[in-house]
Structures are given as C-alpha cells and as structure tokens.
Amino acid sequence: MTDSTTPTTDHALKAKHRAMWALGDYPAVADTVIPTLGARLVAATGVQTGDRVLDIAAGSGNASIPAALAGGDVTAGDLTPELFEVGRRHAAAAGARLDWTQTDAEALPFDTGAFDTVLSCVGIMFAPHHQAAADELVRVTRPGGRIGLLAWTPTGFIGEMFATMKPYAPPPPPGAQPPPLWGDETHVHGLLGDRVRDIDTRTETVRVDAFGTAAEFRDFFKQNYGPTVAVYASLTDTPDRAAALDRDLDDLARRYDLGRGTMDWEYLLLTARRS
C-alpha cells in the first residue's frame, strides 16, 4: 500500500509512451551519447553508502548503476521495463546490485518519504504532465533528503531537436508539456516551489563525438531513439515530409558541429533538499 495522491492515470497515454520508448534501442543511445551523465548527476547529488535511492525514469541504469556503486540502496524505476534487460547486464558487469521495477513517474508506488535521495537523468522530463511528476518526486523524498535532476535545455541541441521534429510529429495529447521545459530553471523552480531548499542549478554541456557527420547522427537517432523513431513512423505515407525532416536534422547537426562531428549538448543540473 502507498499513500500516493496522484490523480487517476491515463492508461492509454502511458501505454503509448511505454511503446515509444521500447522502439529502437534506447540503451544504445545512452551508452553512445551520454555514458558519463549518470555519474555526473550521482556525484552532484552526493549519494552515500546506505542511502535509499530512487532513480525515476531510469531507463537502462545510466544513473542507477553509478548510484549503486556509490553505496546506495537503489531502486531503478521506469515505465518501460523492456529497457531493464540491458540495464541488468550492465549492472552485473559493473558489480552493482539494485532493484528494477516498472513505475509511472506520475503515480509512484512508494510511500511518502520513502527515499533519502531521488534523482533522474534525462528521464522524468519525458513524463507528459510535469506538475504531477514533480509532485510525486517531492512526495517520495524524505524531509531533508536530496533531489538531483539533469535535463536537456530548451535552447540546447536536444531542445532544438525536439523543436525541429515538432512540425512533423502528430499533435501531443491534451495537457502534455514539452520535455525540454524541465531544462528551464524558472519552470523547474515553479514545479518544485517552496517544498525544496538549498537549490543549486547550473548549466553545463556534454561533449558528443560519436558521429563523424550530420548524416551519421541523423541515421543513428532515426534507428535508435524512441521519439525520433516514432516521428518517422508517422511519416511513412508522406516520404516527402520524411525527406524534409532528414534535411532539417542534418542542418541542426551541422550548426552544432565543432569539427569532425563533435558537438556540445547543453543540460541543466539541479540539486536541492526536501524542505
């Protein structure tokens, strides 16, 4: 039993989101593009031995595994359990022990104050209803407990990628908010409100050098990144629009190219304590 007060879940919407993230190969994206970001978040949040840690929207364990290696008693939760198989292999290879459980960020199955540390690395930002997800994040953090969030910014590469894909994508469901808003400091402060203290926010970048050309980036994301796979799937009957999206994503990657395909992708890192 839990004492969650989250509103009734839209099961059809959540099923759609689960299916989207099961498309392609998100673990390959995490391993290729952001292998260091989970450890960066864990270090900033200060996970210690014995801490009860929840990683919301954990995916294949990009932050969960470093948190476990830091000594945390970690629960890795995600709406898409299809991602756990790779996560378990990675954890075993690293010698990390943690629990994997299917969870909805907007309706967490845990008691109020159940965790010493709650974190999310480019994960909770994709829950469609931001306030509901933020309320649950705060609810399950004990008073004085630590919160750590890492999210792509609206003005950085991934934020621009979502803006680039938006004209080609089906309309979002009513009430859904754009994921990169979690990378806007004012927006996140509004979500958390006075329920947190000792807030520290900083904008940083991660160096991405896995793609030699714009086309390599575009093709990799078309094949492996769930949101991009889903947009292209919606364009199957309009090949001219799919070709236009190809060109727009190529142009985006070229604008960010620092040379030989190397790019810096911007994110917001926030840490705080539960009031």
Side-chain angles (χ1 to χ4, degrees):
M1 293 290 291
T2 70
D3 50 7
S4 171
T5 58
T6 300
T8 302
T9 300
D10 182 339
H11 295 289
L13 175 59
K14 296 312 169 71
K16 183 177 179 180
H17 270 249
R18 172 182 172 176
M20 179 186 72
W21 287 107
L23 295 171
D25 187 351
Y26 181 74
V29 176
D31 292 345
T32 301
V33 177
I34 56 168
T36 63
L37 285 193
R40 173 73 185 99
L41 177 61
V42 169
T45 309
V47 174
Q48 301 175 4
T49 300
D51 283 348
R52 299 164 299 167
V53 180
L54 173 64
D55 183 9
I56 298 176
S60 52
N62 186 256
S64 304
I65 294 171
L69 293 175
D73 179 7
V74 179
T75 298
D78 199 280
L79 187 66
T80 307
E82 290 86 347
L83 304 177
F84 293 166
E85 181 180 354
V86 173
R88 289 189 178 99
R89 291 202 301 268
H90 286 350
R97 298 181 63 182
L98 58 153
D99 293 325
W100 303 84
T101 182
Q102 183 176 10
T103 57
D104 177 356
E106 298 176 6
L108 295 171
F110 308 112
D111 290 331
T112 294
F115 296 95
D116 302 302
T117 303
V118 179
L119 49 81
S120 187
C121 182
V122 296
I124 196 173
M125 63 183 290
F126 292 100
H129 305 108
H130 293 187
Q131 192 62 63
D135 290 349
E136 283 293 271
L137 179 155
V138 172
R139 181 184 67 79
V140 300
T141 308
R142 68 164 176 81
R146 296 181 297 276
I147 291 171
L149 301 171
L150 193 152
W152 302 117
T153 66
T155 54
F157 181 83
I158 293 295
E160 287 205 52
M161 186 185 79
F162 274 91
T164 297
M165 294 191 300
K166 183 178 179 179
Y168 299 94
Q177 294 175 281
L181 280 179
W182 276 89
D184 178 88
E185 184 175 343
T186 300
H187 181 71
V188 181
H189 282 199
L191 294 175
L192 300 176
D194 61 3
R195 299 174 296 178
V196 299
R197 58 178 172 84
D198 301 336
I199 300 176
D200 180 77
T201 54
R202 60 191 69 186
T203 300
E204 300 178 348
T205 60
V206 60
R207 177 63 54 91
V208 177
D209 57 6
F211 313 110
T213 66
E216 285 183 21
F217 150 75
R218 178 244 301 157
D219 288 344
F220 181 83
F221 268 65
K222 281 176 67 172
Q223 295 166 11
N224 296 293
Y225 190 59
T228 308
V229 176
V231 172
Y232 274 98
S234 74
L235 301 175
T236 301
D237 296 330
T238 54
D240 56 332
R241 286 173 53 77
L245 179 54
D246 280 349
R247 292 190 294 271
D248 287 348
L249 289 176
D250 285 354
D251 289 344
L252 173 65
R254 281 192 288 266
R255 283 197 287 110
Y256 274 81
D257 190 352
L258 300 174
R260 298 184 178 179
T262 298
M263 298 179 277
D264 285 340
W265 293 5
E266 185 179 81
Y267 61 86
L268 180 75
L269 177 64
L270 178 147
T271 58
R273 283 192 179 272
R274 176 74 164 92
S275 297

